[in-house]
Amino acid sequence: MMNIMTATKSKYSIGDLVWDKSYQAFGIITEVIESNDFKSENPGFYWGYYLRWFGELPFTNFEYEINIGRHPDKNLLLSETIPF
């Protein structure tokens, strides 16, 4: 029997442009992974993304799909990282 979650495809792709509202910085998705932790069966937690940000201090962080959304008008994604 096929697992339904293995048949799903991630919403976003490597190279997608992301705007972070907290840091006021642009970034791109650098890696897409299937989540293997206990949350992976919940919607929005099955796919995870590594994001590379380009601001005053460039850094990389990980976000679940549930924490990223598509801008309604522009061709970019939105994220709001907690700045700490």
Side-chain angles (χ1 to χ4, degrees), residues 4-31:
I4 293 173
M5 288 199 306
T6 58
T8 63
K9 183 177 184 283
S10 67
K11 279 182 162 180
Y12 312 119
S13 303
I14 292 172
D16 283 352
L17 184 63
V18 183
W19 173 253
D20 187 286
K21 296 185 280 185
S22 297
Y23 286 106
Q24 299 289 301
F26 280 105
I28 60 169
I29 295 175
T30 59
E31 187 176 352

Side-chain angles (χ1 to χ4, degrees), residues 27-43:
I28 60 169
I29 295 175
T30 59
E31 187 176 352
V32 179
I33 63 164
E34 290 183 75
S35 175
N36 293 320
D37 66 15
F38 70 95
K39 298 177 185 176
S40 66
E41 293 181 9
N42 296 322

Side-chain angles (χ1 to χ4, degrees), residues 5 9-13 18-20 29 31-51 53 60-70 77-82:
M5 288 199 306
K9 183 177 184 283
S10 67
K11 279 182 162 180
Y12 312 119
S13 303
V18 183
W19 173 253
D20 187 286
I29 295 175
E31 187 176 352
V32 179
I33 63 164
E34 290 183 75
S35 175
N36 293 320
D37 66 15
F38 70 95
K39 298 177 185 176
S40 66
E41 293 181 9
N42 296 322
F45 288 100
Y46 188 67
W47 292 99
Y49 303 87
Y50 281 96
L51 304 156
W53 300 101
T60 299
N61 75 312
F62 177 84
E63 291 289 343
Y64 285 107
E65 190 167 85
I66 198 167
N67 296 326
I68 301 171
R70 192 165 296 283
L77 304 175
L78 300 173
S79 175
E80 192 159 12
T81 305
I82 299 170

